[in-house]
Amino acid sequence: MAGSKSALVLCMDVGFSMSNSAPGEEPPFELAKKIVQKFVQRQVFAETKDEVALVLFGTDSTENPLHQDDQYQHITIYRHLDVAGFDLLEEIETQVRPESQHADWLDALVVSMDLLRTETKGKKFDRLNIVFLTDLNSPASADNLDAMIDNLKKDGITLQFFLPFPVKDHDKEGGGGGDEDGTGPGHPGTGKGLSKEQKNSLDIMKHIMLNLDEDEGLEEIYTFRNAIEQLNMFKRIERRPMAWPCQMTIGSSLSIRIVGYKAVTEEKLKKIWFTVDAQTNQKDDVKRETVYCLDDDNETEVQKDDIIQGFRYGSDIVPFSKVDQDQMKYKHDGKCFAVLGFAKQSTVRKHLFMGNQVLKVFAGRDDEHAGVALSAVIRALDELKMVAIVRYAYDRRCNPQIGAAFPCIKEDYQCLMYFQMPFTEDLRQFTFPSLENNKKFTPSDTQLSAVDSLIDSMMLVEEDENGEKKDLFKPHHIPNPAFQRHFQCLHHRGVSPDTPLPPIEPWLKAALELPEVISKRCQVPLEEMKKNFPLTEVEKKKKLKTSAQIFGKDADEPDAKKVKGDEEEEEEYNLADIAEGSVTSVGSVAPARDFCTLIRKKSLPFGEVCQQLTHRIEELLKTKNTQYYMKSITCIQAFREQSVKLGEADLYNSYLQSLKRSIPNRKLEVFWDLLVQDALTLISQDEVEGSTVSKSEANQFLVAEEKKEETAAPPPAEDPGDVDDLLDMM
Amino acid sequence: MAQWITYFPNEDEEEEQEEGEQSEDYKITGRDSLVFLIDASKEMFKGENGQPSNFDMTMQVVRSVYTSKIISSHRDLVALVFYGTEQSKNPTNSFKHVYVYHDLDEPGAKRVKDLDALREAKGAKLAAETMGSGETSLGDALWCCSNLYSDIKLRLSHKRLMIFTCRDEPHGGDSTKDRQARTKASDLKETGIDIYLMHLMKPGGFDVSIFFRDIVSPPEDESELALQLEPCQKLEELKQRVRIKNQKKRAMARLKLCLGEDLKVAVGIYKNVVTAKKPGAIKLYRETNEPVHSKTRTFHTQTGSLLLPSDIKKAQVYGKKKIVMERDEVDAIKKFDDPGLILIGFKPMESLKLHHYVRPSLFLYPEEDQVKGSACLFSALLTKCSERDVFALCRCISRRNLPPRFVALVPQEEVIDEGKVQTIPPGFNVIFLPYANDIQTLDTPQFPSASQTQVDKMKEIVSKLRFNYRSDAFENPVIQQHFRNLEALALDMMAPEDTDDRIMPKVDQIDKSLGPLVQEFKDLVYPSNYNPDSKPAAKRKIANTEGAAEKKPKLEVSEDELKAHVQNGTLGKLTVPVLKEACKLFGVRTTGTKKQELIDALVARLG
């Protein structure tokens, strides 16, 4: 429980047998060291008040208070009971190494017990624990074993054992080697079977553990491998949720004493980064200073005292002093949990929950009457499927909220769960196009059944043979990976400052992936999905606009009523009779329209009309004015349309080809770009039978040019590239 | 203790982030703009049976849009144009019968005042005097509006135009004018201006199909929802419609929802709710009231030279060790993967626990523009998930350099109300799920459960106080008050308008409707001498004596001990009161009350 404090002794075997391992296996020593490191790392970063001592046995030297003559040899108290710091991590990293002696692990246990007893004197600890990491491969004398067990019990010391090999529950030890319990292949150390010493020690160990706790004693025995997996997850930083006592009120005369606790809230890292000088790594060498300046050319600095505050009211800024603001601001009576009324649960929707916490509300501490009253509220709400809508204010300084209190009835407790709900100002009520009513997006039955089988194959909650539900993936059981990663990097940087940061640990990555069963099972349905739902990435080009949009109407319009002629061109063109009568040649005002009229009237031969048109196009292009490019484009458009209509491709094609050739010389790249965007290419055989141009050639015509331009063309006078830029310039 | 308090500083932090986000929004996408094009013909001024006239109603709506823009997005541009006026006023004065009352610009106090002047009978009079009613040419009016847009040199993201009218045949059958208007409307639409019709009550009904069908922008989904709308009669309804059309729908991010390898659907993420905050204060120079800007400089304490970003690093202390990282490393350790949503699997809805909540949800809608076929797959997934009552569990990285979180994609089917207005859009709600660290272990106190009689009595109480909850029914009194105050100052009002605190329980009403029920319930659950409003006597006593006893002894730790603690970095062992006392003893001034702050202050002094 939060606020409690433990003292523990890590008792690690560094004796010579710990370095033995079967080929290809990590020696037990290395595994044990990893466990100790991970464990201490946890303590350091969780900043617990727990105190840790480290006792090594099997050391060449001897250093402990019980040592006398040949008693308690090769046991070293490496570190006395203290809060774990980074120094301990560093020392373990660099100084703890395999040594060549061996020591009686029961002696080491006695040393540890003695250490706990003497060093916890006068301090208050809620838990005393000794953690053993050993392969049990040293002779142990079981003298006084019962006295030791009595002492353990008397002092309330608990024991945990971490061994390189699994221990079976049902006295099948001695067989060794096998992995009948299925805890995973090849626990190191079991390869050669257990030695006589190990068997003997195992018996003693079991004897102790079962004596300490008859039922669950053996559950405190772990293998190295499992321990590493479990320790990988950083323990949550423990905190005590703060009680918030208040009254729940319904009207003026019904109140119930309550107390609220934050039950769910996103945990953030407590520490923030501070800034240090890059050379000295000193915080004090860096100073930040904020100055205020006027928006004039000199950025004249203004003294802090000469600054007052104001608020924006649309385009106006209203000076509004702090004093006035405090006087006029919304004030309320402070702490409250007042019911406004009750509403149906179905009208309070989860996706509109606000804020960053869930509050659980219980009856006031040690107040049975409040307990009964609140229970009546909770159960009434539960039976009616309703919620209480309440006004909630944490205290006078905090803004009041609107929220909903849901009933929550569990086997062993009842409470209200409060969620903040939005204010009108907080809502974003977007409307989106209907998906169902849109025929383009309506999935077919085959597509729907493909989704069905995908869902089947990826169901994470399954019933096993006994009809019990099993959830394969529970995010709320995963510790926040960001913290894991954060501490991994800090640890690394702390221990080896000059090396780059390590990659994310593979086990962490794996913990975030979908369970293997699922990823295997969904392969076939996924293939089916791929077949049924063609997905094509839309090219991520910047949105190209057609020239009409760029140079056309909106840009020209502002100062130009005269554009009206062009503007309504289309309409007039449809009402052809208005204009037709007077057109005798392709004029410069509306060349495209004249061209079309002349072609329709057939008063001049096709070739001549085309010549007149190209003449006008060339005139327009000569002006090098982007405003006129647009007009040229419409001309070419008309030229192409009419040519296709009449089945005459040659004139148009040869003009366009010569135009293309002249582009670089005449620096008409900008214009050409527009042509490309409007896809005004050659007329192909597909469109007009007589054309000498194939479809692919026609397609190629614009593309090839585009590429060549990129490589060969000198930087054009006007940058043709970014359409958005052009837009901004205008 | 820090627990509750930390909640609030955090909020400020987020606020900054949020604001940063918004201003960035503007840089990237430009500003929103909205032109109100309002019919000023005689018909608009007719009020029936004492009802406010259409014109009056429209002015109220425009005013509410102005003030809400001022509150929520003051950088958006708004214009007010009348058509069918006698007088003309527009930039080049080339359009007759079009009166530009407000040019496209940010709304401010003066404009709100202008609108107030146009309201009610005096407003109608003012309108008649300044503008009058005359001929109508919607084509010219639209043209004039499009000129307003093109005069703007700023980058605009959304361009909207709302026509308010009660005449379904504005030109009285003049086909040339009709045609002109259509042409002009299509030009506007081509340049990206959305045209909406807010049609108002007209005796005999407003027929959209006669003329306006061709003027307005086709609805996004090509179904004919928008056109079948009934004309607005009520102010609230009109406000609501205007508000919905006025919401800018801006995706917070565009991501890929990855169902498996090579099966990626493009989706846009939107926010369902955003905490509206009081905007921050602007610093002004006392003499001139002009805004000042701040410059923050980082320099070396010893040499005084300015430090570049490359001259500084970041550090944290753990277990007495200072751990230093480059600034980009600090970002890099947060990165797990590129932004996106990765499907983990599906779960039945019942396994989504109510209390698994850590932050406001988001909304997911397909982005057909990015990956073709997205909408179809999305739609199929949505249909099947809601049909089978399952949600999709995903791993989500919503932005660059953010660590992953797990989310539940909860299907939400479209709901359309009687007025054919969409009230709930189709898509997935994204519910953020807690990690193990986020769930607190609580000592759950145990109490006797209430008897059925007691529960039944409470049920009577609950039934008496039933109401229909609507999420948009409660305004934030804090923000409202703030803006009323500003409004009063900006508009030279004598006193701010009263705010109606809607989240205050209406105690009198509650008491009245409950009547004797309260006493009956109390008789059932409380003994006669019980007073829930006083604190439990026993506890208070203990608290008092202890508190008094604790405060007296000055300092439990001697100076030397303290120094030793500082040296060993074990200050954390001491309690907050002791630390505070120690701060006083050494004359250390601290602004903070948090343990870490106190420790830092002491270390700075003694260490």
Side-chain angles (χ1 to χ4, degrees):
Chain A
M1 185 48 219
S4 68
K5 191 164 134 179
S6 5
L8 69 141
V9 180
L10 294 167
C11 195
M12 180 180 169
D13 192 348
V14 296
F16 75 95
S17 67
M18 288 290 279
S19 322
N20 293 342
S21 65
E25 278 174 354
E26 233 175 324
F29 171 83
E30 290 301 331
L31 290 171
K33 183 168 164 177
K34 259 189 208 162
I35 294 172
V36 171
Q37 276 178 319
K38 292 260 184 204
F39 185 83
V40 175
Q41 186 188 8
R42 223 190 214 196
Q43 298 286 324
V44 170
F45 288 118
E47 304 205 290
T48 62
K49 294 174 202 154
D50 295 352
E51 299 194 9
V52 184
L54 180 58
V55 173
L56 304 177
F57 62 102
T59 48
D60 300 340
S61 60
T62 301
E63 214 185 306
N64 69 72
L66 302 182
H67 170 56
Q68 221 172 22
D69 306 329
D70 61 346
Q71 293 276 295
Y72 300 103
Q73 270 191 337
H74 307 300
I75 300 174
T76 303
I77 296 183
Y78 186 80
R79 185 181 159 111
H80 290 273
L81 211 53
D82 198 358
V83 174
F86 225 92
D87 51 339
L88 180 57
L89 271 182
E90 282 169 306
E91 281 168 27
I92 295 169
E93 171 89 20
T94 54
Q95 290 171 26
V96 173
R97 53 194 160 75
E99 306 199 27
S100 52
Q101 297 296 320
H102 60 76
D104 183 339
W105 62 270
L106 281 173
D107 283 353
L109 176 60
V110 175
V111 169
S112 304
M113 285 164 64
D114 176 67
L115 183 153
L116 272 183
R117 185 177 298 164
T118 50
E119 297 189 11
T120 58
K121 236 177 228 156
K123 295 183 192 168
K124 194 173 164 283
F125 289 98
D126 302 86
R127 186 166 167 247
L128 304 176
N129 190 31
I130 298 172
V131 177
F132 256 92
L133 301 113
T134 174
D135 61 354
L136 297 175
N137 213 345
S138 55
S141 69
D143 308 342
N144 299 327
L145 193 58
D146 291 334
M148 274 166 63
I149 293 172
D150 283 346
N151 275 329
L152 284 170
K153 279 186 182 166
K154 204 176 75 204
D155 294 344
I157 296 175
T158 51
L159 277 184
Q160 284 173 316
F161 279 91
F162 292 85
L163 307 177
F165 46 84
V167 173
K168 277 132 259 165
D169 268 358
H170 305 291
D171 282 37
K172 273 169 82 185
E173 84 272 358
D179 258 315
E180 294 101 335
D181 62 346
T183 45
H187 279 281
T190 54
K192 295 170 290 189
L194 298 182
S195 67
K196 212 174 87 195
E197 286 82 10
Q198 282 174 316
K199 282 179 202 165
N200 179 34
S201 295
L202 259 180
D203 286 339
I204 298 172
M205 180 191 75
K206 282 187 182 173
H207 180 74
I208 299 174
M209 295 308 275
L210 288 173
N211 258 297
L212 287 176
D213 185 343
E214 211 169 316
D215 300 324
E216 289 161 16
L218 294 183
E219 287 175 21
E220 292 297 322
I221 303 171
Y222 307 92
T223 63
F224 284 172
R225 185 152 304 200
N226 291 346
I228 288 182
E229 275 166 24
Q230 285 179 19
L231 279 165
N232 267 333
M233 295 292 185
F234 277 99
K235 208 167 76 178
R236 44 173 306 175
I237 300 161
E238 289 203 2
R239 277 200 210 157
R240 161 189 271 154
M242 187 61 199
W244 178 76
C246 191
Q247 321 272 329
M248 174 172 182
T249 58
I250 304 174
S252 66
S253 54
L254 179 53
S255 62
I256 302 170
R257 202 180 295 135
I258 51 163
V259 55
Y261 295 97
K262 261 186 192 184
V264 185
T265 186
E266 206 172 314
E267 183 163 74
K268 305 247 162 78
L269 286 167
K270 255 195 285 180
K271 292 206 170 163
I272 49 160
W273 294 95
F274 56 86
T275 307
V276 298
D277 179 68
Q279 252 78 52
T280 60
N281 285 350
Q282 288 306 308
K283 183 183 171 184
D284 294 341
D285 287 346
V286 182
K287 205 170 170 192
R288 275 168 78 86
E289 190 191 59
T290 305
V291 292
Y292 300 95
C293 338
L294 296 179
D295 262 328
D296 56 12
D297 292 342
N298 301 326
E299 295 203 301
T300 318
E301 258 185 52
V302 175
Q303 290 309 304
K304 226 178 167 178
D305 296 342
D306 288 331
I307 286 169
I308 55 170
Q309 65 164 9
F311 287 92
R312 198 174 271 286
Y313 186 78
S315 53
D316 308 312
I317 296 173
V318 183
F320 195 8
S321 73
K322 269 218 167 69
V323 184
D324 287 348
Q325 199 198 345
D326 278 345
Q327 225 160 49
M328 290 172 79
K329 78 172 180 204
Y330 178 84
K331 291 185 192 78
H332 63 96
D333 299 333
K335 200 182 250 196
C336 87
F337 198 80
V339 174
L340 303 187
F342 300 93
K344 270 191 252 156
Q345 276 180 21
S346 58
T347 59
V348 180
R349 313 212 22 228
K350 188 172 165 94
H351 73 269
L352 293 180
F353 288 177
M354 297 273 295
N356 51 15
Q357 60 167 339
V358 181
L359 197 67
K360 278 191 177 173
V361 176
F362 299 92
R365 200 173 281 275
D366 302 326
D367 187 338
E368 252 182 47
H369 309 302
V372 174
L374 191 67
S375 161
V377 176
I378 294 165
R379 287 184 42 202
L381 290 177
D382 187 61
E383 285 173 28
L384 294 167
K385 296 265 161 294
M386 311 254 307
V387 296
I389 303 296
V390 298
R391 170 195 175 95
Y392 163 89
Y394 175 67
D395 70 7
R396 187 183 290 278
R397 291 168 302 164
C398 304
N399 294 335
Q401 304 173 354
I402 179 93
F406 284 75
C408 165
I409 299 182
K410 289 274 161 70
E411 228 169 82
D412 49 346
Y413 67 92
Q414 304 178 349
C415 67
L416 288 173
M417 286 198 289
Y418 168 85
F419 300 91
Q420 187 188 345
M421 297 302 295
F423 287 116
T424 323
E425 294 92 336
D426 306 332
L427 288 170
R428 298 281 156 102
Q429 286 171 323
F430 296 137
T431 52
F432 287 87
S434 176
L435 287 170
E436 260 178 36
N437 302 334
N438 193 324
K439 287 186 190 71
K440 268 191 289 181
F441 304 143
T442 310
S444 66
D445 288 346
T446 359
Q447 285 174 319
L448 284 172
S449 71
V451 175
D452 245 339
S453 28
L454 182 75
I455 295 179
D456 284 335
S457 72
M458 294 186 81
M459 272 314 274
L460 295 164
V461 180
E462 298 172 322
E463 275 186 23
D464 61 9
E465 314 88 65
N466 309 325
E468 261 178 62
K469 290 235 165 100
K470 230 179 82 193
D471 194 332
L472 296 174
F473 197 94
K474 291 184 177 166
H476 62 282
H477 285 182
I478 301 175
N480 192 339
F483 298 176
Q484 314 281 327
R485 172 72 176 147
H486 183 80
F487 292 131
Q488 181 208 359
C489 291
L490 283 179
H491 183 186
H492 176 92
R493 180 53 50 89
V495 175
S496 30
D498 301 319
T499 54
L501 296 175
I504 297 176
E505 290 172 298
W507 66 266
L508 182 56
K509 275 202 145 155
L512 302 173
E513 288 299 334
L514 49 168
E516 224 175 286
V517 218
I518 302 288
S519 67
K520 272 189 198 139
R521 211 165 52 192
C522 70
Q523 283 317 311
V524 179
L526 265 179
E527 284 309 314
E528 205 51 39
M529 287 285 288
K530 268 184 237 172
K531 246 182 268 164
N532 274 297
F533 291 97
L535 293 170
T536 40
E537 188 98 12
V538 177
E539 268 190 71
K540 270 199 203 126
K541 259 193 214 160
K542 269 201 180 168
K543 247 201 253 160
L544 284 179
K545 299 195 174 138
T546 59
S547 51
Q549 275 171 304
I550 299 168
F551 299 116
K553 299 144 188 185
D554 58 337
D556 277 351
E557 246 171 2
D559 39 28
K561 265 218 151 180
K562 64 169 192 240
V563 194
K564 205 167 178 179
D566 274 5
E567 270 285 84
E568 278 162 17
E569 181 182 74
E570 225 175 20
E571 191 152 350
E572 281 177 49
Y573 176 38
N574 288 335
L575 312 158
D577 50 330
I578 305 171
E580 242 171 359
S582 56
V583 178
T584 51
S585 65
V586 178
S588 63
V589 178
R593 187 191 59 194
D594 293 349
F595 174 71
C596 292
T597 315
L598 289 171
I599 299 273
R600 204 166 36 242
K601 277 166 73 184
K602 298 196 178 92
S603 52
L604 289 169
F606 179 70
E608 198 181 326
V609 185
C610 290
Q611 213 182 346
Q612 286 184 7
L613 180 73
T614 51
H615 189 67
R616 291 290 174 210
I617 294 175
E618 292 302 313
E619 270 181 10
L620 289 169
L621 288 179
K622 259 182 222 154
T623 63
K624 287 270 167 52
N625 185 336
T626 38
Q627 309 280 348
Y628 288 98
Y629 287 169
M630 178 55 208
K631 229 176 190 174
S632 311
I633 296 273
T634 15
C635 290
I636 295 174
Q637 236 160 9
F639 193 359
R640 192 173 195 282
E641 266 163 31
Q642 297 301 325
S643 302
V644 172
K645 224 189 234 169
L646 298 174
E648 298 256 15
D650 289 352
L651 281 171
Y652 170 83
N653 280 349
S654 65
Y655 172 68
L656 208 63
Q657 278 159 338
S658 75
L659 179 65
K660 183 181 168 183
R661 278 191 297 274
S662 72
I663 291 290
N665 289 338
R666 296 160 70 193
K667 299 229 177 341
L668 282 174
E669 284 83 3
V670 179
F671 171 71
W672 184 259
D673 262 19
L674 297 175
L675 211 63
V676 172
Q677 273 162 35
D678 283 358
L680 288 175
T681 184
L682 298 176
I683 297 172
S684 70
Q685 284 156 343
D686 288 26
E687 292 164 275
V688 172
E689 234 173 276
S691 169
T692 52
V693 179
S694 74
K695 181 138 195 228
S696 62
E697 276 174 298
N699 290 339
Q700 220 36 56
F701 183 68
L702 295 174
V703 178
E705 188 55 34
E706 221 171 19
K707 270 188 196 142
K708 213 162 73 196
E709 213 177 81
E710 269 169 22
T711 50
E718 275 171 280
D719 187 280
D722 202 331
V723 176
D724 277 341
D725 284 350
L726 270 178
L727 260 180
D728 285 343
M729 273 159 47
M730 289 167 44
Chain B
M1 192 189 74
Q3 276 270 304
W4 283 101
I5 311 293
T6 46
Y7 173 83
F8 297 94
N10 273 349
E11 219 167 34
D12 286 345
E13 227 167 79
E14 270 163 40
E15 192 172 350
E16 272 168 38
Q17 261 179 19
E18 188 73 31
E19 265 171 30
E21 239 169 70
Q22 276 194 1
S23 57
E24 220 165 275
D25 255 13
Y26 279 116
K27 268 180 221 148
I28 296 164
T29 54
R31 307 187 188 191
D32 268 20
S33 58
L34 173 63
V35 172
F36 291 104
L37 181 56
I38 293 163
D39 188 353
S41 64
K42 293 221 163 59
E43 286 86 338
M44 286 290 287
F45 291 93
K46 280 181 194 143
E48 275 173 50
N49 319 327
Q51 294 284 318
S53 70
N54 280 328
F55 186 84
D56 192 23
M57 208 160 85
T58 307
M59 287 306 109
Q60 287 192 50
V61 171
V62 175
R63 187 192 194 271
S64 82
V65 170
Y66 271 33
T67 47
S68 80
K69 283 270 183 205
I70 285 173
I71 294 178
S72 62
S73 40
H74 64 84
R75 314 205 45 194
D76 291 354
L77 306 179
V78 192
L80 178 62
V81 180
F82 295 97
Y83 70 96
T85 54
E86 183 56 44
Q87 305 300 320
S88 311
K89 178 172 170 263
N90 45 68
T92 49
N93 277 324
S94 43
F95 303 103
K96 290 228 170 76
H97 308 297
V98 180
Y99 199 102
V100 178
Y101 212 85
H102 289 155
D103 210 346
L104 256 185
D105 203 349
E106 296 173 4
K110 187 175 171 299
R111 290 191 162 197
V112 176
K113 275 195 222 170
D114 289 349
L115 277 165
D116 282 338
L118 283 172
R119 278 166 61 182
E120 292 164 17
K122 58 161 178 29
K125 196 165 153 250
L126 176 68
E129 280 165 12
T130 50
M131 303 184 292
S133 300
E135 259 178 70
T136 302
S137 167
L138 196 60
D140 277 352
L142 289 170
W143 196 330
C144 176
C145 292
S146 81
N147 283 359
L148 293 181
Y149 277 112
S150 44
D151 284 346
I152 295 297
K153 298 286 174 272
L154 298 161
R155 193 155 167 174
L156 299 176
S157 58
H158 285 59
K159 294 189 255 184
R160 292 193 183 80
L161 190 144
M162 287 188 192
I163 304 175
F164 290 74
T165 183
C166 61
R167 294 185 295 161
D168 49 9
E169 281 183 286
H171 306 116
D174 180 337
S175 63
T176 322
K177 278 185 169 177
D178 277 0
R179 196 174 57 237
Q180 265 180 7
R182 278 196 205 105
T183 318
K184 207 60 226 173
S186 74
D187 288 350
L188 257 65
K189 286 180 268 187
E190 222 168 273
T191 58
I193 298 170
D194 292 329
I195 303 177
Y196 301 104
L197 176 66
M198 296 294 150
H199 48 309
L200 306 163
M201 271 318 274
K202 164 182 179 274
F206 193 108
D207 189 351
V208 175
S209 62
I210 299 177
F211 170 69
F212 276 101
R213 185 213 292 279
D214 303 330
I215 298 293
V216 300
S217 300
E220 278 177 278
D221 53 355
E222 292 161 16
S223 66
E224 282 169 22
L225 282 180
L227 290 180
Q228 292 163 356
L229 285 176
E230 290 297 308
C232 282
Q233 283 186 43
K234 293 193 207 83
L235 179 66
E236 285 309 314
E237 204 179 305
L238 185 63
K239 274 189 184 168
Q240 166 83 357
R241 271 187 209 179
V242 170
R243 199 183 61 195
I244 288 179
K245 286 287 175 221
N246 187 28
Q247 289 263 11
K248 51 192 152 192
K249 194 165 65 190
R250 198 173 269 158
M252 174 190 129
R254 292 189 174 80
L255 297 177
K256 295 285 165 62
L257 166 61
C258 177
L259 305 181
E261 211 156 308
D262 299 329
L263 196 62
K264 293 180 181 169
V265 179
V267 289
I269 296 189
Y270 302 82
K271 290 184 177 173
N272 278 321
V273 280
V274 180
T275 314
K277 300 258 171 58
K278 234 168 31 181
I282 298 167
K283 294 198 160 53
L284 307 174
Y285 182 44
R286 187 190 291 278
E287 304 296 319
T288 55
N289 280 351
E290 64 183 305
V292 296
H293 62 266
S294 65
K295 279 198 297 194
T296 304
R297 291 185 298 223
T298 310
F299 57 88
H300 198 277
T301 324
Q302 254 96 63
T303 64
S305 57
L306 281 180
L307 294 173
L308 297 171
S310 58
D311 296 329
I312 55 174
K313 287 184 180 176
K314 295 286 179 182
Q316 286 193 348
V317 173
Y318 270 103
K320 287 182 258 173
K321 170 120 189 156
K322 192 189 285 166
I323 301 161
V324 180
M325 285 197 197
E326 302 281 349
R327 287 161 72 249
D328 51 349
E329 284 177 329
V330 172
D331 286 332
I333 63 175
K334 284 189 249 158
K335 180 178 172 159
F336 279 69
D337 214 338
D338 291 327
L341 284 154
I342 315 278
L343 178 68
I344 303 287
F346 298 88
K347 286 190 188 186
M349 277 308 290
E350 77 237 21
S351 47
L352 181 62
K353 298 282 179 287
L354 184 70
H355 66 280
H356 281 179
Y357 168 86
V358 286
R359 57 167 91 154
S361 68
L362 301 172
F363 183 76
L364 224 56
Y365 191 83
E367 287 275 334
E368 188 74 4
D369 300 350
Q370 292 206 336
V371 174
K372 247 182 117 207
S374 293
C376 180
L377 205 169
F378 189 93
S379 170
L381 199 62
L382 186 63
T383 311
K384 276 299 164 188
C385 282
S386 54
E387 187 182 302
R388 301 181 53 165
D389 207 23
V390 296
F391 68 86
L393 181 72
C394 290
R395 196 172 71 228
C396 168
I397 297 179
S398 52
R399 248 186 272 172
R400 222 151 44 85
N401 286 344
L402 274 191
R405 283 205 83 91
F406 287 96
V407 295
L409 304 190
V410 178
Q412 170 172 292
E413 282 179 284
E414 183 178 20
V415 176
I416 293 168
D417 70 6
E418 319 85 56
K420 308 239 173 172
V421 176
Q422 184 183 67
T423 51
I424 297 177
F428 284 98
N429 282 310
V430 183
I431 310 280
F432 285 86
L433 301 174
Y435 279 120
N437 317 55
D438 305 328
I439 298 175
Q440 307 275 337
T441 33
L442 299 178
D443 277 340
T444 49
Q446 294 199 1
F447 291 104
S449 183
S451 71
Q452 196 56 48
T453 347
Q454 291 162 333
V455 172
D456 287 342
K457 189 52 79 182
M458 184 41 81
K459 276 162 104 173
E460 283 182 53
I461 292 181
V462 169
S463 310
K464 286 274 187 213
L465 301 178
R466 279 177 86 120
F467 75 109
N468 271 334
Y469 171 79
R470 278 186 36 218
S471 51
D472 57 359
F474 301 96
E475 285 179 341
N476 187 342
V478 178
I479 294 185
Q480 292 300 326
Q481 181 71 52
H482 176 76
F483 278 102
R484 293 278 149 83
N485 292 345
L486 283 185
E487 206 171 61
L489 290 170
L491 305 179
D492 300 325
M493 283 151 55
M494 292 299 286
E497 262 181 78
D498 279 336
T499 27
D500 170 23
D501 189 345
R502 299 223 184 135
I503 63 165
M504 208 58 180
K506 299 190 173 55
V507 177
D508 295 342
Q509 276 181 38
I510 292 176
D511 288 348
K512 217 171 111 197
S513 41
L514 291 182
L517 281 174
V518 171
Q519 197 50 48
E520 286 165 31
F521 178 75
K522 286 210 277 197
D523 291 344
L524 280 173
V525 294
Y526 292 155
S528 55
N529 59 351
Y530 177 83
N531 178 8
D533 298 320
S534 71
K535 284 190 179 168
K539 207 174 169 204
R540 170 170 265 178
K541 236 181 216 163
I542 294 167
N544 272 348
T545 47
E546 263 189 8
E550 248 173 51
K551 268 171 200 157
K552 270 182 191 157
K554 264 261 154 169
L555 188 56
E556 287 173 2
V557 191
S558 74
E559 203 174 315
D560 291 338
E561 272 178 276
L562 255 178
K563 282 188 176 147
H565 277 303
V566 171
Q567 243 125 55
N568 301 329
T570 48
L571 272 177
K573 288 181 178 178
L574 302 177
T575 62
V576 174
V578 173
L579 287 171
K580 278 189 181 161
E581 207 56 47
C583 286
K584 269 191 212 155
L585 188 74
F586 290 102
V588 178
R589 266 209 240 150
T590 52
T591 45
T593 50
K594 273 192 240 158
K595 192 164 189 176
Q596 194 59 45
E597 289 167 344
L598 294 171
I599 292 174
D600 290 345
L602 277 172
V603 171
R605 166 60 61 98
L606 303 172

